Amino acid sequence: MRFPEFKDEWKENTLNDIADFSKGQGISKDQRSEDGTPCILYGELYTTYSSEIIDKVFSKTDIDSKKLVKSKVNDIIIPASGETAIDIATARCVKNDNVLLGGDLNIIRMKDKKNLGDFFSYELNGIRRYDIAQIAQGVSVVHLHASDLKGLNVRVPSFQEQRKIAGFLSLLDKRIELQKSAIEKLKSLMAGIYNQLFIQCNGDKVFLSDICTIRKGQQVNGELLCSSNEEGSLYYVMNGGTEPSGYYDRFNSEANTISISEGGNSCGYVQWNNSRFWAGGHCYTITSIHNNINSLYLYHYLKSKEKMIMDMRVGSGLPNIQKKDLERFPIYIPDKENQQHIVDVCESIKSKMYVVHQLLTKYSQQKQYLISKMFI
């Protein structure tokens, strides 16, 4: 897939043919400050910078920068270590001079200004990503060395075509960032609405176990799970995280059920399940809710108190929430008319958030499709 004005063949090179390599120097998390010189730490490539182009730097440090490594416009940075081979294949192009580049970062600097770092960031993150993963080394901690990257094959179009492709994909990235910003604003709005609706919620005070049954799920062998549900005939499996841990051909929980994560770093996460699913060994489900309780009211009440539920976690290695503590969690129940009013308000925001999430998913899928078709 090419823009119609371009016909020339792309040249095949190694990264070593077109770029020089170096490494950043150590800046730790606790050396970040409110003022100082802009800096990028290697871990931020996984957590902070989600698009291929970094044109705004969020961290700063006030440490002496004389012996540290500073960026030049067009530099590409790739982590030198990570948890998995595929995660380490994360390229970003820095669009500013004099940004301090922390340790554990490979720096790729183009030899010729007619080669654009942002174009090659898209190429390395797309069609070359699995090539990078194959040359990464290690098991528990994966390492990526400049000596390995130098021999990586890349395809190089003309400067004009590089600029056209990178500019086009960057527009999609900006649209994706706008969607993410809209989601964060809706989350903030929902938090404000929760605060208004529930902080002074009048009604009968009960314990959670007084109005429902709390059941712990059943663990299923991970080897029996599928990683995706392409045919749509499987049921997702909820465990201790915020996303499904896989897909299974059976279910043990009905649609329109509240689940609460029992164990792991996300224990206490409250979720409304629209469809049948399998509750795993690190997942609680809320069943047999009393007739005078609107299930969606109970979900939104628990969601509004999610941080309080998470604060009940015990243990250090694998934190968990004890069933006995969850059973004693206090709930305020207004009359059914007020329950329905609260549900109507919260569901309207939730529906809007769902639409925005779906748009974000579609834009992200569109970007990945284009990257797979536009690079040779």
Coordinates of all heavy atoms in Angstrom, one line a residue, residues 293-362:
I293 N -32.7 -4.9 45.8 CA -31.5 -4.3 45.4 C -31.4 -4.3 43.9 O -31.4 -5.4 43.3 CB -30.3 -5.0 46.0 CG1 -30.4 -5.2 47.5 CG2 -29.0 -4.2 45.7 CD1 -30.5 -3.9 48.3
N294 N -31.2 -3.1 43.3 CA -30.9 -3.1 41.8 C -29.4 -3.5 41.6 O -28.5 -2.9 42.2 CB -31.1 -1.6 41.4 CG -31.0 -1.5 39.9 OD1 -30.0 -2.0 39.3 ND2 -31.9 -0.7 39.3
S295 N -29.2 -4.5 40.8 CA -27.8 -5.0 40.6 C -26.9 -4.0 40.1 O -25.7 -3.9 40.5 CB -27.9 -6.2 39.7 OG -28.6 -7.3 40.2
L296 N -27.4 -3.1 39.2 CA -26.5 -2.1 38.7 C -26.2 -1.0 39.7 O -25.1 -0.4 39.7 CB -27.1 -1.5 37.4 CG -27.0 -2.2 36.1 CD1 -27.9 -1.7 35.0 CD2 -25.5 -2.2 35.7
Y297 N -27.2 -0.8 40.6 CA -26.9 0.1 41.7 C -25.8 -0.4 42.6 O -24.8 0.3 42.9 CB -28.1 0.4 42.6 CG -27.8 1.1 43.9 CD1 -27.6 2.5 43.9 CD2 -27.5 0.4 45.1 CE1 -27.3 3.1 45.1 CE2 -27.2 1.0 46.2 CZ -27.0 2.4 46.2 OH -26.6 3.0 47.4
L298 N -25.9 -1.7 42.9 CA -24.8 -2.3 43.7 C -23.5 -2.3 43.0 O -22.4 -2.0 43.7 CB -25.2 -3.8 44.0 CG -24.2 -4.5 44.9 CD1 -24.0 -3.8 46.3 CD2 -24.6 -6.0 45.2
Y299 N -23.4 -2.5 41.7 CA -22.2 -2.4 41.0 C -21.6 -1.0 41.1 O -20.4 -0.9 41.4 CB -22.4 -2.8 39.5 CG -21.3 -2.3 38.6 CD1 -20.0 -2.8 38.6 CD2 -21.5 -1.1 37.8 CE1 -19.0 -2.3 37.8 CE2 -20.5 -0.7 37.0 CZ -19.2 -1.2 37.0 OH -18.2 -0.7 36.2
H300 N -22.4 0.0 40.8 CA -21.9 1.4 40.8 C -21.4 1.8 42.2 O -20.5 2.5 42.4 CB -22.9 2.4 40.2 CG -23.0 2.3 38.7 ND1 -22.0 2.7 37.9 CD2 -24.0 1.8 37.9 CE1 -22.3 2.5 36.6 NE2 -23.5 2.0 36.6
Y301 N -22.2 1.3 43.2 CA -21.8 1.6 44.6 C -20.4 1.0 44.9 O -19.5 1.7 45.4 CB -22.8 1.1 45.6 CG -22.5 1.5 47.0 CD1 -23.0 2.7 47.5 CD2 -21.6 0.8 47.8 CE1 -22.7 3.1 48.8 CE2 -21.3 1.1 49.1 CZ -21.9 2.3 49.6 OH -21.6 2.7 50.9
L302 N -20.2 -0.3 44.6 CA -19.0 -0.9 44.8 C -17.8 -0.3 44.0 O -16.7 -0.1 44.4 CB -19.1 -2.4 44.5 CG -20.0 -3.2 45.4 CD1 -20.2 -4.6 44.9 CD2 -19.3 -3.3 46.8
K303 N -18.1 0.1 42.7 CA -17.1 0.7 41.8 C -16.7 2.0 42.4 O -15.5 2.4 42.4 CB -17.7 0.9 40.4 CG -16.7 1.3 39.4 CD -15.7 0.1 39.1 CE -14.7 0.4 38.0 NZ -13.8 -0.7 37.8
S304 N -17.6 2.8 43.0 CA -17.3 4.1 43.6 C -16.4 3.9 44.8 O -15.7 4.8 45.2 CB -18.6 4.8 44.0 OG -19.2 4.3 45.1
K305 N -16.5 2.7 45.5 CA -15.7 2.4 46.7 C -14.5 1.5 46.3 O -13.9 0.9 47.2 CB -16.6 1.8 47.7 CG -17.8 2.5 48.1 CD -17.6 3.9 48.6 CE -18.9 4.6 49.0 NZ -18.7 6.0 49.5
E306 N -14.1 1.4 45.1 CA -13.1 0.5 44.6 C -11.8 0.7 45.4 O -11.1 -0.3 45.8 CB -12.9 0.6 43.1 CG -12.0 -0.5 42.5 CD -12.0 -0.3 41.0 OE1 -11.5 0.7 40.5 OE2 -12.5 -1.3 40.3
K307 N -11.4 1.9 45.6 CA -10.1 2.1 46.3 C -10.2 1.6 47.7 O -9.2 1.0 48.3 CB -9.8 3.6 46.3 CG -8.4 3.9 46.9 CD -8.0 5.3 46.9 CE -6.6 5.5 47.4 NZ -6.4 5.0 48.7
M308 N -11.3 1.8 48.4 CA -11.5 1.2 49.8 C -11.4 -0.3 49.8 O -10.9 -0.9 50.7 CB -12.9 1.7 50.3 CG -12.9 3.2 50.6 SD -14.6 3.7 51.2 CE -14.7 2.8 52.7
I309 N -12.0 -0.9 48.7 CA -12.0 -2.4 48.6 C -10.5 -2.8 48.4 O -10.0 -3.8 49.0 CB -12.9 -2.9 47.5 CG1 -14.3 -2.5 47.8 CG2 -12.7 -4.4 47.3 CD1 -15.3 -2.8 46.7
M310 N -9.8 -2.1 47.5 CA -8.4 -2.5 47.3 C -7.5 -2.3 48.5 O -6.6 -3.0 48.7 CB -7.9 -1.6 46.1 CG -8.4 -1.9 44.8 SD -7.7 -0.9 43.4 CE -8.3 -1.8 42.0
D311 N -7.9 -1.3 49.4 CA -7.1 -1.1 50.6 C -7.3 -2.2 51.6 O -6.6 -2.3 52.6 CB -7.5 0.2 51.2 CG -7.0 1.4 50.4 OD1 -6.1 1.2 49.6 OD2 -7.5 2.5 50.7
M312 N -8.2 -3.2 51.4 CA -8.4 -4.3 52.3 C -7.5 -5.4 52.0 O -7.5 -6.5 52.7 CB -9.9 -4.8 52.2 CG -10.9 -3.8 52.6 SD -12.5 -4.6 52.8 CE -12.8 -5.3 51.2
R313 N -6.6 -5.3 51.0 CA -5.7 -6.4 50.6 C -4.7 -6.7 51.7 O -4.3 -5.8 52.4 CB -5.0 -6.0 49.3 CG -4.0 -4.8 49.4 CD -3.3 -4.5 48.1 NE -4.2 -4.0 47.1 CZ -3.9 -3.8 45.8 NH1 -2.7 -4.1 45.4 NH2 -4.8 -3.4 45.0
V314 N -4.4 -8.0 51.8 CA -3.4 -8.4 52.7 C -2.4 -9.2 52.0 O -2.6 -9.7 50.9 CB -4.0 -9.3 53.9 CG1 -5.0 -8.4 54.7 CG2 -4.8 -10.5 53.3
G315 N -1.2 -9.4 52.6 CA -0.1 -10.2 52.0 C 0.8 -9.3 51.2 O 0.4 -8.2 50.8
S316 N 2.0 -9.8 50.9 CA 3.0 -9.0 50.2 C 3.4 -9.7 48.9 O 3.4 -9.1 47.8 CB 4.2 -8.8 51.1 OG 4.7 -10.0 51.5
G317 N 3.7 -11.0 48.9 CA 4.2 -11.6 47.7 C 3.1 -11.6 46.7 O 3.2 -11.2 45.6
L318 N 1.9 -12.2 47.1 CA 0.7 -12.2 46.2 C -0.4 -11.6 47.0 O -1.1 -12.4 47.7 CB 0.4 -13.6 45.7 CG -0.8 -13.7 44.7 CD1 -0.5 -12.9 43.4 CD2 -1.2 -15.1 44.5
P319 N -0.7 -10.3 47.0 CA -1.7 -9.7 47.8 C -3.1 -10.3 47.4 O -3.3 -10.6 46.3 CB -1.6 -8.2 47.5 CG -0.9 -8.1 46.2 CD 0.0 -9.3 46.1
N320 N -4.0 -10.3 48.4 CA -5.3 -10.8 48.2 C -6.3 -10.2 49.1 O -5.9 -9.6 50.1 CB -5.4 -12.4 48.3 CG -5.1 -12.8 49.7 OD1 -6.1 -13.0 50.5 ND2 -3.9 -13.0 50.1
I321 N -7.6 -10.3 48.8 CA -8.6 -9.8 49.6 C -9.4 -11.0 50.2 O -9.8 -11.9 49.5 CB -9.6 -8.9 48.8 CG1 -8.8 -7.6 48.4 CG2 -10.8 -8.5 49.6 CD1 -9.6 -6.7 47.5
Q322 N -9.5 -11.0 51.5 CA -10.1 -12.1 52.2 C -11.6 -12.0 52.0 O -12.2 -10.9 52.1 CB -9.8 -12.1 53.7 CG -8.3 -12.2 54.0 CD -7.8 -13.7 53.8 OE1 -8.3 -14.6 54.4 NE2 -6.8 -13.8 52.9
K323 N -12.2 -13.2 51.8 CA -13.7 -13.2 51.7 C -14.4 -12.7 52.9 O -15.4 -11.9 52.8 CB -14.1 -14.6 51.4 CG -15.6 -14.8 51.1 CD -16.0 -16.2 50.8 CE -17.5 -16.4 50.6 NZ -17.9 -17.8 50.4
K324 N -13.9 -13.0 54.1 CA -14.6 -12.5 55.3 C -14.6 -11.0 55.4 O -15.5 -10.4 55.9 CB -13.9 -13.1 56.5 CG -12.4 -12.8 56.7 CD -11.9 -13.5 57.9 CE -10.4 -13.2 58.1 NZ -10.1 -11.8 58.3
D325 N -13.5 -10.4 54.9 CA -13.4 -8.9 54.9 C -14.4 -8.3 53.9 O -15.0 -7.3 54.2 CB -12.0 -8.4 54.6 CG -11.0 -8.9 55.7 OD1 -11.5 -9.0 56.9 OD2 -9.8 -9.1 55.4
L326 N -14.5 -8.9 52.7 CA -15.4 -8.4 51.7 C -16.9 -8.6 52.2 O -17.7 -7.7 51.9 CB -15.2 -9.2 50.4 CG -15.8 -8.6 49.1 CD1 -15.3 -7.2 48.9 CD2 -15.4 -9.5 47.9
E327 N -17.1 -9.7 52.9 CA -18.5 -9.9 53.4 C -18.9 -8.8 54.3 O -20.1 -8.4 54.5 CB -18.6 -11.2 54.0 CG -18.5 -12.4 53.1 CD -18.5 -13.8 53.7 OE1 -18.0 -13.8 54.9 OE2 -18.9 -14.7 53.1
R328 N -18.0 -8.2 55.1 CA -18.3 -7.2 56.1 C -18.2 -5.8 55.5 O -18.2 -4.8 56.3 CB -17.3 -7.3 57.3 CG -17.4 -8.6 58.0 CD -18.6 -8.8 58.8 NE -18.7 -7.9 59.9 CZ -19.7 -7.7 60.7 NH1 -20.8 -8.4 60.5 NH2 -19.7 -6.8 61.7
F329 N -18.1 -5.7 54.2 CA -18.0 -4.3 53.6 C -19.3 -3.6 53.7 O -20.3 -4.2 53.3 CB -17.5 -4.4 52.1 CG -17.1 -3.1 51.5 CD1 -15.9 -2.6 51.8 CD2 -18.0 -2.4 50.7 CE1 -15.5 -1.3 51.2 CE2 -17.7 -1.1 50.2 CZ -16.4 -0.6 50.5
P330 N -19.3 -2.4 54.2 CA -20.6 -1.7 54.4 C -21.2 -1.1 53.1 O -20.5 -0.6 52.3 CB -20.3 -0.6 55.4 CG -18.8 -0.3 55.1 CD -18.2 -1.6 54.7
I331 N -22.6 -1.3 53.0 CA -23.3 -0.8 51.8 C -24.5 0.0 52.3 O -25.2 -0.4 53.3 CB -23.8 -2.0 51.0 CG1 -22.7 -3.0 50.7 CG2 -24.5 -1.5 49.7 CD1 -21.7 -2.5 49.7
Y332 N -24.7 1.2 51.7 CA -25.9 2.0 52.0 C -26.9 1.8 50.8 O -26.6 1.9 49.7 CB -25.6 3.4 52.1 CG -24.9 3.7 53.4 CD1 -23.5 3.7 53.5 CD2 -25.6 4.1 54.6 CE1 -22.8 3.9 54.7 CE2 -25.0 4.3 55.8 CZ -23.6 4.2 55.8 OH -22.9 4.5 57.0
I333 N -28.1 1.4 51.2 CA -29.2 1.1 50.3 C -30.4 2.1 50.4 O -31.1 2.0 51.3 CB -29.7 -0.3 50.5 CG1 -28.6 -1.4 50.5 CG2 -30.7 -0.7 49.4 CD1 -27.8 -1.5 49.3
P334 N -30.5 3.0 49.4 CA -31.7 3.9 49.4 C -32.9 3.1 48.8 O -32.8 1.9 48.5 CB -31.3 5.0 48.5 CG -30.3 4.4 47.5 CD -29.6 3.3 48.3
D335 N -34.0 3.8 48.7 CA -35.2 3.1 48.2 C -35.0 2.9 46.7 O -34.1 3.4 46.1 CB -36.5 4.0 48.4 CG -36.4 5.4 47.8 OD1 -36.1 5.5 46.6 OD2 -36.5 6.4 48.6
K336 N -35.9 2.0 46.1 CA -35.7 1.6 44.7 C -35.7 2.7 43.7 O -35.0 2.7 42.7 CB -36.7 0.5 44.4 CG -36.5 -0.8 45.2 CD -37.0 -2.0 44.4 CE -36.0 -2.4 43.3 NZ -36.3 -3.7 42.7
E337 N -36.5 3.7 44.0 CA -36.6 4.9 43.1 C -35.3 5.6 43.0 O -34.8 6.0 41.9 CB -37.8 5.8 43.6 CG -38.0 7.0 42.6 CD -39.1 7.9 43.1 OE1 -39.9 7.5 44.0 OE2 -39.2 9.0 42.5
N338 N -34.7 5.9 44.2 CA -33.4 6.5 44.2 C -32.3 5.7 43.6 O -31.4 6.2 43.0 CB -33.0 7.0 45.6 CG -33.7 8.3 46.0 OD1 -33.8 9.2 45.2 ND2 -34.2 8.3 47.2
Q339 N -32.4 4.4 43.8 CA -31.4 3.4 43.2 C -31.5 3.6 41.7 O -30.4 3.7 41.0 CB -31.7 2.0 43.6 CG -31.4 1.6 45.0 CD -31.7 0.2 45.3 OE1 -31.3 -0.7 44.5 NE2 -32.4 -0.1 46.4
Q340 N -32.7 3.6 41.2 CA -32.9 3.7 39.7 C -32.3 5.0 39.2 O -31.7 5.1 38.1 CB -34.3 3.5 39.3 CG -34.6 3.4 37.8 CD -33.8 2.2 37.2 OE1 -33.9 1.1 37.7 NE2 -33.0 2.4 36.2
H341 N -32.6 6.1 39.9 CA -32.1 7.4 39.5 C -30.5 7.4 39.4 O -30.0 7.9 38.4 CB -32.5 8.5 40.5 CG -31.8 9.8 40.2 ND1 -32.1 10.6 39.1 CD2 -30.9 10.5 41.0 CE1 -31.3 11.7 39.2 NE2 -30.6 11.6 40.3
I342 N -29.9 6.8 40.4 CA -28.4 6.7 40.4 C -27.9 5.9 39.2 O -27.0 6.3 38.5 CB -27.9 6.2 41.7 CG1 -28.2 7.2 42.8 CG2 -26.5 5.8 41.7 CD1 -27.9 6.7 44.2
V343 N -28.6 4.8 39.0 CA -28.2 3.9 37.9 C -28.4 4.6 36.5 O -27.5 4.6 35.7 CB -29.1 2.6 37.9 CG1 -29.0 1.9 36.6 CG2 -28.7 1.7 39.0
D344 N -29.5 5.4 36.3 CA -29.7 6.1 35.1 C -28.5 7.1 34.8 O -28.0 7.2 33.7 CB -31.0 6.8 35.1 CG -32.2 5.9 35.1 OD1 -32.0 4.7 34.7 OD2 -33.3 6.3 35.4
V345 N -28.1 7.8 35.8 CA -27.1 8.8 35.7 C -25.8 8.1 35.3 O -25.1 8.5 34.4 CB -26.9 9.7 36.9 CG1 -25.7 10.6 36.8 CG2 -28.2 10.5 37.2
C346 N -25.4 7.1 36.1 CA -24.1 6.4 35.9 C -24.0 5.7 34.6 O -23.0 5.7 34.0 CB -23.9 5.5 37.1 SG -23.6 6.3 38.7
E347 N -25.1 5.1 34.2 CA -25.1 4.3 33.0 C -25.0 5.2 31.8 O -24.4 4.7 30.8 CB -26.4 3.4 32.9 CG -26.4 2.2 33.8 CD -25.3 1.2 33.4 OE1 -25.4 0.6 32.3 OE2 -24.3 1.0 34.2
S348 N -25.5 6.4 31.8 CA -25.4 7.3 30.7 C -23.9 7.6 30.4 O -23.4 7.7 29.3 CB -26.2 8.6 30.9 OG -25.7 9.3 32.0
I349 N -23.1 7.9 31.5 CA -21.7 8.1 31.4 C -21.0 6.9 30.9 O -20.1 6.9 30.1 CB -21.1 8.7 32.7 CG1 -21.9 9.9 33.2 CG2 -19.6 9.0 32.5 CD1 -21.8 11.1 32.2
K350 N -21.4 5.8 31.5 CA -20.7 4.5 31.2 C -20.9 4.2 29.7 O -20.0 3.7 29.0 CB -21.3 3.4 32.1 CG -20.6 2.0 31.9 CD -21.3 1.0 32.8 CE -20.8 -0.4 32.5 NZ -21.5 -1.5 33.2
S351 N -22.1 4.4 29.2 CA -22.4 4.2 27.8 C -21.5 5.1 26.9 O -21.0 4.6 25.8 CB -23.9 4.4 27.4 OG -24.7 3.5 28.1
K352 N -21.4 6.3 27.2 CA -20.5 7.2 26.5 C -19.1 6.7 26.5 O -18.4 6.7 25.5 CB -20.6 8.6 27.1 CG -19.7 9.7 26.4 CD -20.0 9.9 25.0 CE -19.1 11.0 24.4 NZ -19.4 11.2 23.0
M353 N -18.6 6.3 27.7 CA -17.3 5.8 27.8 C -17.0 4.5 26.9 O -16.0 4.4 26.3 CB -17.0 5.5 29.3 CG -15.5 5.3 29.6 SD -15.2 5.1 31.4 CE -15.8 6.6 32.0
Y354 N -18.1 3.7 26.8 CA -17.9 2.5 26.0 C -17.7 2.9 24.5 O -16.9 2.3 23.9 CB -19.2 1.6 26.1 CG -19.3 0.5 25.2 CD1 -18.5 -0.7 25.5 CD2 -20.0 0.5 24.0 CE1 -18.6 -1.8 24.6 CE2 -20.1 -0.5 23.1 CZ -19.3 -1.7 23.4 OH -19.4 -2.7 22.5
V355 N -18.5 3.9 24.1 CA -18.4 4.3 22.7 C -17.0 4.9 22.4 O -16.3 4.5 21.4 CB -19.5 5.4 22.3 CG1 -19.2 6.0 21.0 CG2 -20.8 4.7 22.4
V356 N -16.5 5.7 23.3 CA -15.1 6.3 23.2 C -14.1 5.2 23.2 O -13.1 5.2 22.4 CB -14.9 7.3 24.3 CG1 -13.5 7.9 24.1 CG2 -15.9 8.5 24.1
H357 N -14.2 4.2 24.1 CA -13.3 3.1 24.1 C -13.3 2.3 22.8 O -12.3 1.9 22.3 CB -13.7 2.1 25.2 CG -12.9 2.4 26.5 ND1 -11.6 2.1 26.6 CD2 -13.3 2.9 27.7 CE1 -11.2 2.5 27.9 NE2 -12.2 2.9 28.5
Q358 N -14.5 2.1 22.2 CA -14.6 1.4 21.0 C -13.9 2.1 19.8 O -13.2 1.5 19.0 CB -16.1 1.1 20.6 CG -16.8 0.1 21.5 CD -16.1 -1.3 21.3 OE1 -15.4 -1.7 22.2 NE2 -16.5 -2.0 20.3
L359 N -14.1 3.4 19.8 CA -13.4 4.2 18.8 C -11.9 4.1 18.9 O -11.2 4.0 18.0 CB -13.8 5.7 18.9 CG -15.2 6.1 18.3 CD1 -15.6 7.5 18.6 CD2 -15.0 6.0 16.7
L360 N -11.4 4.2 20.2 CA -10.0 4.0 20.4 C -9.5 2.7 19.9 O -8.4 2.6 19.2 CB -9.7 4.2 21.9 CG -8.2 3.9 22.3 CD1 -7.3 4.9 21.7 CD2 -8.1 4.0 23.9
T361 N -10.2 1.6 20.2 CA -9.8 0.3 19.7 C -9.8 0.3 18.1 O -8.8 -0.2 17.6 CB -10.8 -0.7 20.2 OG1 -10.8 -0.8 21.6 CG2 -10.5 -2.1 19.6
K362 N -10.8 0.9 17.5 CA -10.8 0.9 16.0 C -9.7 1.7 15.4 O -9.0 1.3 14.4 CB -12.2 1.5 15.5 CG -13.4 0.6 15.9 CD -13.3 -0.8 15.3 CE -14.5 -1.6 15.6 NZ -14.4 -3.0 15.1

